[in-house]
């Protein structure tokens, strides 16, 4: 990798670019050098894996004008987010992150300072989670900045969290509040004033989604989780994946959805229905999981003791395959609105 | 992976797209299903690795307008090439390819038929080398088609081929002819007539570079190779990487460079110096290696017996770090021209 014809970056040269992001961290080396057999600079990276574990592999591409607007996001936040979305995928499998490779296509008008911030944001998050960045590919782009991160992870076979294991009677839970990131995006897109602590908080959540790796590991080790995924497209949309892949239905209790005080304030200020907003969501990066009902009580207590915050129960898996219902506090039932981000044909 | 907000592809939808390229092959399943624990459709892929081997990881991004012009390359050739360049990297480490994930950003004006050809080209090559395509990410792009392939591989630790092991006295060899792909590109770029068998052959080599995986495995298992890499930027440029990383110099014998009859015909027709053309090259995707001189004779014989074609000796590693010389048939010595493709600052 990293040395194809026609690839280039006039300002700094390809090898500098790759070495900047991969090379020794501030504390002098890879975060976990014991796994690295061949670092950046050869045809491929080489690393050791654990013999008794599965290797996880995920990749995500962020494209300027589609996933982000360069003038509206700092390099640091973009670098952070490009890695964070992949970390969230590893979290959703119950895994621990391991090695990353980064591809980046850079337009001529992208200043070096922006790229340096991008590295810094990515490297800081990699350091936090002991991810080795082992190489990548750098190329020019005619117009749009494109970043692709591929991340490996490791998980014991019996701890793997899949989407297809939900069973009727399972309790549905999430590891954090819903709809906050979407509210932060709304503030940016509508150019609304960020002049209250609530709005500042929502913007920060959108800019710096926290991958729930510790929560994912906890859930994986508990033995009480039948299915899990991360909420990236919005709860309604992502729950549909679990339902489809597990062949089950679901009931969501509207009044139990974790809607934070800042989000309620935002919804009041902008005349938005908080429940619909939380269900549609997008980029929440909390984990959605279904719990063995016989093991749920102990899990909930241990979870609260561990994280100082509750695992939020929001509904129940049902036997009616493909049917998702929303129940309000008065007991009225309606179809769960399908309002996620993956409705490609209808955009 | 594969389910981020704002990602989409109106024509076919994201899940169809990913499933088309990843899903069951024509013969009904993954090429090597025994390694696949979680296939496409979950947050990440999960697969087993061999406990006694290193895992290799490489990634390459192809960007429209930088690496290819969409009107000038068929979808089938583009899909083939996107995977082939990564296979070549695994070959250069002495490894065997294993699992791949694909990210693709698709502009609205890219017809479905082009994408279907792209899958077909990639899947045919994956089948040939028993690579499982385990997932990926699909998104829209405002203008340019972008493809990123990440590929894993496996190699025994003691068989790993690195760039930094060349020693003075090593014989320098390549596994195939040089400069052919560059000639094919020249035919496309200058819109020259492809009306002779020689020109047709050169165009085909450019469009369908063959990754030298069998050759890489052979060299790795021989125990006679001190350093290796694939020739992607051109021999002069890539030899410089081995010299720099090994702290050595090199002498290349001009008259021993493998310049094929079709390339000689092309050079005659177009008044091009074949030696300079072969050295500058680019996208050759043959392997460049340095051989233990005491083991070279046996290796050369075994190689010829195995492949029915010779491993071509082209020079020798010297002790003068960083000095590359070119010697012609008359014994005249000159500095090796540095004319590869990675001169970012000077483009």
């Amino acid at each position: 990798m990293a040395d194809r014809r026609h690839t280039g970056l006039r300002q700094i040269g390809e090898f500098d670019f790759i070495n900047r992001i991969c090379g020794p961290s501030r504390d002098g080396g890879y975060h976990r050098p014991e796994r690295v057999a061949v670092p950046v600079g050869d045809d491929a990276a080489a690393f050791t894996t654990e013999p008794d574990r599965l290797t996880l592999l995920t990749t995500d591409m962020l494209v300027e004008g589609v996933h982000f607007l360069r003038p509206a996001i700092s390099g640091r936040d973009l670098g952070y987010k490009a890695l964070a979305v992949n970390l969230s995928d590893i979290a959703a499998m119950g895994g621990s992150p391991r090695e990353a490779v980064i591809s980046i296509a850079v337009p001529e008008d992208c200043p070096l300072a922006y790229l340096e911030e991008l590295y810094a944001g990515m490297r800081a998050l990699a350091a936090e989670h002991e991810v080795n960045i082992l190489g990548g590919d750098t190329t020019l782009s005619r117009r749009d900045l494109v970043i692709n991160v591929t991340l490996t992870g490791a998980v014991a076979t019996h701890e793997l969290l899949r989407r297809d294991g939900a069973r009727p009677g399972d309790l549905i839970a999430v590891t954090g509040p819903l709809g906050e990131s979407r509210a932060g995006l709304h503030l940016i897109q509508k150019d609304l004033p960020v002049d209250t602590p609530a709005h500042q908080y929502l913007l920060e959540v959108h800019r710096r989604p926290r991958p729930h790796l510790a929560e994912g590991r906890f859930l994986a080790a508990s033995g009480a989780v039948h299915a899990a995924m991360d909420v990236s497209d919005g709860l309604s949309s992502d729950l549909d994946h679990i339902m489809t892949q597990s062949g089950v239905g679901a009931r969501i209790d509207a009044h139990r959805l974790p809607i934070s005080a800042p989000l309620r304030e935002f919804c009041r200020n902008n005349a938005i229905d908080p429940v619909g907003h939380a269900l549609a969501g997008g980029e929440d990066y909390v984990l959605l999981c279904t719990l063995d009902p016989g093991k749920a009580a102990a899990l909930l207590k241990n979870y609260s003791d561990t994280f100082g915050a509750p695992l939020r129960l929001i509904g129940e898996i049902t036997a009616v395959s493909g049917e998702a219902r929303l129940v309000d506090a008065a007991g009225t039932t309606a179809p769960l609105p399908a309002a996620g981000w993956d409705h490609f044909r209808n955009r």
Side-chain angles (χ1 to χ4, degrees), chain A:
Chain A
M1 55 192 165
D3 46 5
R4 299 295 157 219
R5 60 179 292 182
H6 286 311
T7 65
L9 186 64
R10 281 171 221 218
Q11 290 171 293
I12 53 173
E14 179 178 14
F15 287 178
D16 285 353
F17 190 103
I18 293 289
N19 282 320
R20 259 171 209 250
I21 195 158
C22 301
S25 57
R26 271 165 301 183
D27 36 19
Y30 289 96
H31 303 302
R32 298 296 298 269
E34 72 278 12
R35 297 196 302 261
V36 183
V38 177
V40 59
D42 216 303
D43 295 279
F47 58 93
T48 55
T49 54
E50 292 126 295
D52 52 347
R53 292 184 171 221
L54 293 173
T55 297
L56 303 170
L57 186 64
T58 186
T59 194
D60 270 286
M61 183 177 274
L62 298 185
V63 181
E64 182 176 352
V66 178
H67 301 87
F68 64 92
L69 298 172
R70 215 182 329 147
I73 187 168
S74 71
R76 197 169 286 259
D77 286 347
L78 182 59
Y80 176 99
K81 191 172 271 193
L83 181 56
V85 298
N86 285 280
L87 289 167
S88 183
D89 281 324
I90 298 299
M93 303 298 287
S96 301
R98 291 287 185 259
E99 332 296 339
V101 286
I102 317 295
S103 295
I104 186 164
V106 183
E108 296 272 359
D109 68 348
C110 185
L112 182 56
Y114 192 87
L115 297 176
E116 285 177 336
E117 288 294 308
L118 197 155
Y119 311 142
M122 195 175 289
R123 288 189 52 167
L125 187 60
E128 190 179 327
H129 295 288
E130 298 189 329
V131 169
N132 293 318
I133 300 178
L134 291 184
D137 191 17
T138 312
T139 172
L140 283 173
S141 172
R142 292 192 294 187
R143 172 175 159 190
D144 291 322
L145 182 64
V146 180
I147 306 167
N148 193 88
V149 174
T150 303
L151 180 65
T152 75
V155 65
T157 304
H158 66 280
E159 291 188 352
L160 186 68
L161 299 178
R162 305 174 56 132
R163 295 180 178 180
D164 59 3
R167 304 174 203 170
D170 280 4
L171 304 181
I172 303 172
V174 289
T175 59
L178 299 168
E180 292 183 341
S181 177
R182 187 183 182 209
L185 178 64
H186 185 94
L187 292 172
I188 295 171
Q189 288 182 331
K190 303 285 181 182
D191 205 16
L192 296 177
V194 182
D195 52 0
T196 65
H199 284 194
Q200 285 158 11
Y201 166 81
L202 296 170
L203 197 64
E204 179 67 15
V205 168
H206 176 73
R207 287 185 166 157
R208 293 290 182 118
R210 183 177 70 79
H212 284 208
L213 282 157
E215 292 85 344
R217 285 296 310 129
F218 181 93
L219 295 173
S222 74
V225 177
H226 287 160
M229 69 180 295
D230 72 331
V231 182
S232 55
D233 294 334
L235 183 74
S236 290
S237 176
D238 289 329
L239 180 62
D240 188 61
H241 294 309
I242 285 186
M243 285 167 37
T244 302
Q245 294 189 31
S246 300
V248 296
R251 188 201 77 235
I252 297 294
D253 301 323
H255 64 285
R256 300 166 89 184
L257 290 172
I259 298 171
S260 68
L263 182 59
R264 289 193 187 280
E265 180 182 322
F266 164 87
C267 287
R268 264 197 315 274
N269 294 347
N270 295 282
I272 290 172
D273 166 44
V275 168
H277 180 93
L279 289 171
E283 300 194 299
D284 292 304
Y285 298 116
V286 302
L287 301 181
L288 167 66
C289 57
T290 82
L291 313 180
D292 184 324
K295 299 176 179 172
L299 174 67
L300 291 172
K301 180 177 185 321
N302 287 344
Y303 186 98
S304 292
D305 291 349
T306 302
F307 294 104
L311 183 64
R312 322 293 189 103
L313 296 181
I314 60 170
E316 191 174 318
I317 295 294
T318 66
V320 188
S321 180
E323 184 193 79
R325 290 177 297 137
L326 182 67
V327 182
D328 69 14
T332 310
T333 293
L336 188 73
W341 292 97
D342 62 346
H343 294 218
F344 304 95
R345 291 182 185 81
N346 305 325
R347 283 179 61 202

